[in-house]
Amino acid sequence: ERLLGVVLSATVKRHPLLRLELHQTMSGTALESVREGRLDAAFFFGDVPTPPLMALPLRQLIYRVAAPAAWSARVVDARWPEIAAMPWIRTPTLSTHTRLVTQLFAAHGLEPPEPAMLADDETVITNLVVEGVGVALVRDEVARARSAEGELAVWPGAAIETTLWFVCLEARAEEPSLAALLDLVREAWHLNGAPTTAGSAA
């Protein structure tokens, strides 16, 4: 996410004494780490986080079903059962990515496809699709760009919407370091509204 760099740069310039330590992990794992106090804050995509978290909605994300370019003829007119029967690249159970796949197929009365391979990084997943391993959910902007380059095919039958959030414990949101970070995130994403808290709708 380009705006993460904006936040980090602004943090260094405006709050030189604020020490940041970045960790890359699955979205669902990051959320649980914040909830349990192992991380101060995290980016998360999925449904609105539940108590005791405070969440800033940053932007909507769209995911597409992407397949290897060589499978274009197979997927262009494929129906849901045919898509479900293809080899899928999935993420571990705790990942929001896995929840999206489950919800996607449940909405059409189908069990989620068994994974042909597991990966926990979106770039790796996209590259596995490009290399012909299977199909997967890929972010819309990435899927479109790689499709335009002839590297993968996008199935036209689904567009899955979700939300990108920035989360921390509500009880800690007024701590100086977190309050400064929240302000920088709001500024980078041009947010004017209040954060979403327990019981609020996204």
Side-chain angles (χ1 to χ4, degrees), residues 35 49-53 198-199:
R35 195 187 303 277
T50 56
L53 299 173

Side-chain angles (χ1 to χ4, degrees), residues 92-163:
T93 303
L94 188 58
S95 170
T96 302
H97 200 274
T98 290
R99 293 193 202 114
L100 291 179
V101 173
T102 300
Q103 292 167 2
L104 176 66
F105 284 94
H108 293 84
L110 296 170
E111 291 293 323
E114 290 295 322
M117 182 176 291
L118 291 175
D120 63 1
D121 179 87
E122 288 194 2
T123 300
V124 171
I125 290 171
T126 302
N127 288 336
L128 288 171
V129 174
V130 170
E131 292 302 320
V133 174
V135 301
L137 291 186
V138 175
R139 270 187 296 140
D140 180 70
E141 58 266 34
V142 175
R144 290 183 181 277
R146 302 296 285 266
S147 177
E149 294 169 2
E151 294 183 322
L152 53 75
V154 178
W155 182 50
I160 307 96
E161 294 188 10
T162 187
T163 303

Side-chain angles (χ1 to χ4, degrees), residues 1-15 18 20 22 43 58 166 180-190:
E1 181 70 54
R2 180 186 62 83
L3 292 179
L4 175 58
V6 174
V7 172
L8 297 178
S9 176
T11 302
V12 171
K13 292 175 182 176
R14 299 187 200 176
H15 306 285
L18 183 59
L20 292 181
L22 303 181
F43 292 95
L58 303 182
F166 187 74
L181 190 56
L182 285 164
D183 283 343
L184 292 173
V185 170
R186 288 187 185 96
E187 182 179 311
W189 269 269
H190 304 290

Side-chain angles (χ1 to χ4, degrees), residues 57-92:
L58 303 182
R59 73 179 182 99
Q60 293 301 111
L61 299 176
I62 298 175
Y63 279 80
R64 304 281 183 179
V65 177
W71 298 10
S72 180
R74 291 175 57 189
V75 301
V76 65
D77 293 319
R79 298 182 179 181
W80 283 97
E82 295 165 327
I83 290 294
M86 292 180 181
W88 272 75
I89 303 159
R90 297 269 306 273
T91 56

Side-chain angles (χ1 to χ4, degrees), residues 154-177:
V154 178
W155 182 50
I160 307 96
E161 294 188 10
T162 187
T163 303
L164 177 67
W165 308 86
F166 187 74
V167 300
C168 69
L169 287 173
E170 187 175 3
R172 297 188 56 200
E174 298 302 320
E175 293 180 10
S177 59

